[in-house]
């Protein structure tokens, strides 16, 4: 009963989440790379789901973290990003001293981390989150990125993730990494669990250990 109350009080559950929880781990099918390509191409992000047992743990962690830190945003700033914020208006999103007004331009204005709570992917998929001090332009009211912001993220993902994967020393095998190793998406506002901080999700297939260490290593 306590578990049911905990789940029922969690505001971020989508209809997909509720159906997923009802089915249990034994009926869960992880998202494959082929599935993810179709989901992201169609912008059908609402159907992304976690393994039910992982989702239950995530909900419990979320409730506990909000009790301790006040919000998930406060936890991420304090424990994961270690960014100092500027004074903000009451109820406003955090703001930061930035070296550039253009997202993903200056290395001090963003941070690459592994997702602590990834969706339920097959083992070959690594879930990365890129956090940005600089907000991206979006279209209201849904919160989709503008075409200019999409192009900006595409350039960043290309140079940061795709190009290193395409270098000979980092590639095992002879398939075309440039076309089929990296995907990215940004949840629109209604799907975001951390709305106060700008971030995009990057998925890498068969990510080499040396590149993961390079991407998510200690940085300012």
């Amino acid at each position: 009963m306590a578990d049911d109350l905990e789940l029922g009080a969690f505001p971020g559950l989508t209809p997909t989440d509720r159906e997923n929880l009802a089915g249990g781990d034994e009926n869960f099918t992880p998202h494959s790379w082929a599935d993810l390509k179709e989901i992201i191409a169609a912008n059908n992000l609402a159907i992304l789901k976690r393994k039910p047992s992982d989702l239950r743990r995530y909900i419990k962690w979320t409730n506990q973290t909000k009790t301790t830190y006040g919000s998930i945003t406060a936890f991420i700033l304090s424990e994961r990003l270690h960014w100092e914020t500027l004074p903000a208006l009451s109820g406003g999103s955090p703001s930061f001293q930035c070296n550039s007004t253009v997202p993903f331009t200056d290395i001090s204005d963003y941070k690459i981390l592994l997702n602590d709570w990834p969706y339920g992917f097959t083992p070959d998929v690594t879930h990365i989150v890129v956090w940005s001090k600089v907000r991206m332009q979006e279209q209201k009211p849904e919160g989709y990125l503008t075409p200019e912001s999409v192009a900006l993220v595409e350039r960043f993902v290309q140079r940061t993730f795709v190009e290193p994967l395409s270098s000979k020393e980092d590639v095992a095998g002879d398939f075309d990494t440039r076309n089929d190793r990296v995907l990215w998406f940004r949840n629109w506002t209604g799907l975001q669990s951390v709305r106060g901080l700008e971030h995009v999700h990057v998925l890498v297939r068969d990510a080499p250990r040396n590149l993961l260490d390079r991407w998510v290593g200690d940085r300012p």
Side-chain angles (χ1 to χ4, degrees):
M1 178 65 70
D3 191 43
D4 291 339
L5 288 173
E6 182 181 67
L7 298 180
F10 188 71
L13 286 180
T14 65
T16 297
D17 287 333
R18 295 184 183 279
E19 181 180 357
N20 187 30
L21 286 169
D25 285 2
E26 63 275 13
N27 295 310
F28 178 75
T29 301
H31 296 292
S32 68
W33 190 254
D35 295 334
L36 292 169
K37 290 169 67 176
E38 292 181 3
I39 290 169
I40 293 172
N43 200 30
N44 195 15
L45 304 176
I47 71 170
L48 288 173
K49 52 187 178 293
R50 294 177 174 89
K51 186 177 179 180
S53 56
D54 289 339
L55 179 56
R56 288 181 178 274
R57 285 193 290 270
Y58 173 65
I59 293 169
K60 182 177 181 180
W61 174 86
T62 296
N63 290 334
Q64 292 174 340
T65 301
K66 287 180 178 179
T67 298
T68 303
Y69 289 87
S71 68
I72 301 301
T73 296
F75 166 82
I76 293 173
L77 284 172
S78 175
E79 304 299 335
R80 303 295 279 124
L81 297 176
H82 310 291
W83 288 346
E84 293 185 7
T85 61
L86 296 174
L89 297 176
S90 178
S93 298
S95 59
F96 309 91
Q97 181 67 47
C98 302
N99 291 335
S100 174
T101 58
V102 181
F104 310 120
T105 300
D106 190 285
I107 196 170
S108 297
D109 292 341
Y110 64 88
K111 192 165 188 177
I112 302 171
L113 297 173
L114 293 177
N115 191 341
D116 293 333
W117 296 98
Y119 292 108
F121 302 140
T122 52
D124 57 320
V125 181
T126 299
H127 191 170
I128 292 168
V129 182
V130 185
W131 301 89
S132 174
K133 293 180 181 179
V134 187
R135 303 292 302 194
M136 289 187 286
Q137 293 182 348
E138 57 184 31
Q139 306 175 65
K140 302 296 184 181
E142 295 89 354
Y144 300 128
L145 291 180
T146 64
E148 294 78 11
S149 292
V150 170
L152 186 152
V153 178
E154 288 278 9
R155 291 193 295 270
F156 168 75
V157 169
Q158 182 74 22
R159 71 173 183 266
T160 304
F161 300 99
V162 177
E163 291 178 3
L165 278 167
S166 301
S167 64
K168 292 182 179 179
E169 66 269 21
D170 291 320
V171 175
D174 58 1
F175 53 89
D176 186 359
T177 63
R178 190 172 294 274
N179 293 328
D180 202 27
R181 294 285 293 280
V182 180
L183 298 167
W184 73 270
F185 65 91
R186 179 198 186 254
N187 284 323
W188 60 85
T189 303
L191 293 180
Q192 291 176 349
S193 57
V194 188
R195 298 182 184 180
L197 298 174
E198 185 66 84
H199 61 288
V200 296
H201 298 262
V202 177
L203 310 179
V204 182
R205 182 167 65 93
D206 296 325
R209 182 76 260 171
N210 63 320
L211 281 182
L212 281 177
D213 291 342
R214 185 193 308 178
W215 289 328
V216 302
D218 291 337
R219 302 190 31 226

